[in-house]
Amino acid sequence: MKASQFLISTLKEAPADAEVVSHRLMMRAGMIKKLGAGIYTYMPLGLRVIRKVEAIVREEMNRAGAIECTMPVIQPAELWEETGRFAKMGPELLRIKDRHDRDFVVQPTSEEVITDIARQELRSYKQLPKNLYQIQTKFRDERRPRFGLMRGREFIMKDAYSFDRDPAAAQASYQGMAQAYRRIFDRFGLRYRAVAADSGAIGGDLSEEFQVIAATGEDAIVYCPDSDYAANIEKAEALAPAGPRPAARHALARTPTPGKSTCADVAALLSVPLQSTVKSLVLATDQTNEAGEVVKSQVWLLLVRGDHDMNEVKVGKVPGLDAGFRFATVPEILEHFGTRPGYLGPIGLKKPVKVVADREVAVMADWICGGNEEDVHLTGVNWGRDLPEPDAVADIRNVVEGDPSPDGRGRLAIERGIEVGHVFYLGTKYSRAMNATFLDETGKPRLMEMGCYGIGITRLPAAAIEQNHDDRGIIWPDALAPFTVAVCPIGMDRSEAVREAAQRLHDGLLALGVDVILDDRGERPGVMFADWELIGVPHRVVISDRGLKEGQLEYQHRRDSEATRVPAEGVLQFLKDRLGT
Ligand SMILES: Nc1ncnc2c1ncn2[C@@H]1O[C@H](COP(=O)(O)OP(=O)(O)O)[C@@H](O)[C@H]1O
Ligand SMILES: [Mg+2]
């Protein structure tokens, strides 16, 4: 490829709305162009990267036995009504009408359509297992589209769906996909972690996210440096403290804390560690009748240690809160606690509430909490003596760095990641809703066991950049680079020798199947180098008259601080070695 024939449109400045480095660099390198909020054109340079991602994904999916198909982007609502998702999904699901006033959706994912195909085409146990996938445009009307391709509204996803005869076979399919994902992410050349994720109602560990490690990642991922334990923050379990609850040493006391409504302020005021304070969170659950009207509400008080944070996914698993909960309203709080948020606690309630203590709080003695009175806290609080034992004790907090690993093999560490893939065992959730059955050996209809497996094709380049960049631009791993080698001739218009050497190297690399770009634009060296550094081409060869006179070219990897001189006649072999081709 010659740069003069390609479309290169680099920018000095990133647009103001580009907050993260991958968005800024993709805009500046001319890889994407914004058309609307969360909607981008993949420009030629960006598309080359996306095509490389797709090719690796496609190869490994095929190798793993999955079969490619393409489902429509626009899908009739009827199928989505069968699973209830047409009504249940929020505004993320883009609903549209055609000229006949019929409802359609723009696919955010495709469980309904694929299950409809499976129930028609997979009739016998002899046809199972099957795994069908597509690499297709998705649309999710995200509340906050941002960070360019990282969280777009329109994006490309690889979505695969497995169909099996029983849970054991489905779990084997799941493991096969998890393994294919490892191959895929290894090939991308990125640092990543497969982490256990919450699998909702199904339970078990059969949901993993593939997270590209990056300091700027949106997700907190938890791992144990001494074992292979890794989970996302929703899933990582905080173990119950090992020791028993210490004996009470202090008397219960009412302590004025004027204006100090946070645990941190109270701890500072009383000169005690934050770990001796307890935070109160008030939730509510509603009972509804058949018409959907609320007939009864229950108020809950959740207690976590002052230095800990509540984890909503874990709270959603506490019996009684597992059918859905909400934050209590201020009137509800006043009615039960007699005071406003800031000074709430479990002692001296106006009306009873259900108390759920985090595992850590359940073994605390002499703790501090709100006194249910403005500007007042209670100190020396002890379970059993000053208040009844909690109604429930559960793991309802986020783990923190240094917590013991749930596998008992060390302490937890936390780093940040970007979710680029997700494998998920679905069970019969969709096959049951859509009656997707097959006939087993005895001729009996049985529900298919399903799994779904996504990869964010267009999010991946953004994640790769978050992980691999410097102040000059992107640094692509070879596997994802839009061009692997940039040939940069200096003074090509003046020197026949330079022109010829550049052309020969370009042709030689092409013949080897290397993605090479020859910069024949006639730009000054500074401009030329800055462009390829911004674009992130990993290998660069500079050809100059002066060098050629000594029979030398200059090679520089995007991560090298200096160029290496390479004999002109040996340059192809040198590059072959460097590229491993
Ligand atoms: N708005 C988005 N923009 C870009 N990629 C996305 C977006 N939403 C999801 N993806 C990608 O698609 C993959 C599969 O999606 P899924 O797990 O269903 O999404 P989520 O985790 O947001 O529920 C995700 O791992 C992610 O890489
Ligand atoms: Mg996901």
Side-chain angles (χ1 to χ4, degrees), residues 92 108-109 111 140 142 148-158 209-210 419-422 453-460:
E92 253 194 24
T109 167
E111 281 82 2
R140 295 182 182 180
E142 298 270 355
L149 297 194
M150 193 82 85
R151 185 169 296 285
R153 292 200 293 171
E154 182 175 312
F155 58 98
I156 302 174
M157 195 204 289
K158 185 283 299 175
E209 288 167 358
F210 286 73
E419 182 198 329
V420 284
H422 199 165
Y453 315 94
I455 290 181
I457 299 286
T458 43
R459 177 181 286 181
L460 191 101

Side-chain angles (χ1 to χ4, degrees), residues 105-301:
V105 307
V106 184
Q107 65 161 348
T109 167
S110 264
E111 281 82 2
E112 280 78 0
V113 173
I114 203 80
T115 307
D116 181 50
I117 291 167
R119 72 179 166 188
Q120 294 175 56
E121 305 301 327
L122 306 176
R123 315 300 297 263
S124 158
Y125 71 95
K126 289 182 191 149
Q127 293 169 284
L128 301 178
K130 282 281 178 302
N131 184 327
L132 289 160
Y133 78 96
Q134 64 173 346
I135 297 177
Q136 237 308 36
T137 298
K138 303 288 180 296
F139 195 94
R140 295 182 182 180
D141 203 351
E142 298 270 355
R143 190 165 49 92
R144 283 188 68 198
R146 58 194 178 142
F147 306 157
L149 297 194
M150 193 82 85
R151 185 169 296 285
R153 292 200 293 171
E154 182 175 312
F155 58 98
I156 302 174
M157 195 204 289
K158 185 283 299 175
D159 43 329
Y161 307 87
S162 62
F163 297 90
D164 279 280
R165 49 173 304 156
D166 56 35
Q171 285 165 26
S173 293
Y174 171 93
Q175 297 303 347
M177 273 295 109
Q179 212 177 339
Y181 271 45
R182 285 191 166 75
R183 292 183 65 99
I184 289 169
F185 289 99
D186 285 344
R187 282 184 64 183
F188 288 150
L190 300 174
R191 275 178 295 120
Y192 71 95
R193 246 180 231 289
V195 309
D198 182 56
S199 49
I202 295 164
D205 267 352
L206 289 177
S207 172
E208 281 157 275
E209 288 167 358
F210 286 73
Q211 296 267 359
V212 166
I213 309 301
T216 50
E218 279 190 302
D219 296 346
I221 58 185
V222 178
Y223 67 101
C224 175
D226 303 318
S227 72
D228 56 7
Y229 179 84
N232 69 15
I233 197 89
E234 278 78 37
K235 173 85 180 173
E237 186 187 358
L239 294 180
R245 181 191 295 160
R249 289 168 47 225
H250 299 290
L252 179 69
R254 188 177 166 280
T255 308
T257 50
K260 309 293 183 198
S261 62
T262 68
C263 285
D265 286 348
V266 171
L269 177 77
L270 304 178
S271 303
V272 295
L274 188 52
Q275 288 91 321
S276 63
T277 64
V278 167
K279 218 178 333 201
S280 295
L281 299 140
V282 189
L283 302 179
T285 48
D286 297 321
Q287 247 179 54
T288 51
N289 62 16
E290 270 162 29
E293 299 151 11
V294 176
V295 288
K296 204 174 145 213
S297 296
Q298 169 72 50
V299 170
W300 299 69
L301 174 62

Side-chain angles (χ1 to χ4, degrees), residues 10-12 14 20-31 461-477 482 529-538 540 557-559:
T10 53
L11 299 171
K12 279 244 148 26
V20 296
V21 70
S22 58
H23 187 192
R24 282 202 299 272
L25 289 176
M26 285 184 114
M27 296 294 294
R28 283 192 51 214
M31 303 188 66
I465 295 171
E466 291 294 330
Q467 187 180 85
N468 300 284
H469 65 269
D470 61 15
D471 52 6
R472 286 171 296 157
I474 303 167
I475 307 175
W476 291 111
F529 297 166
D531 272 353
W532 298 116
E533 283 171 354
L534 172 60
I535 292 166
V537 172
R540 179 175 83 196
H557 187 270
R558 179 65 179 77
R559 287 192 191 277

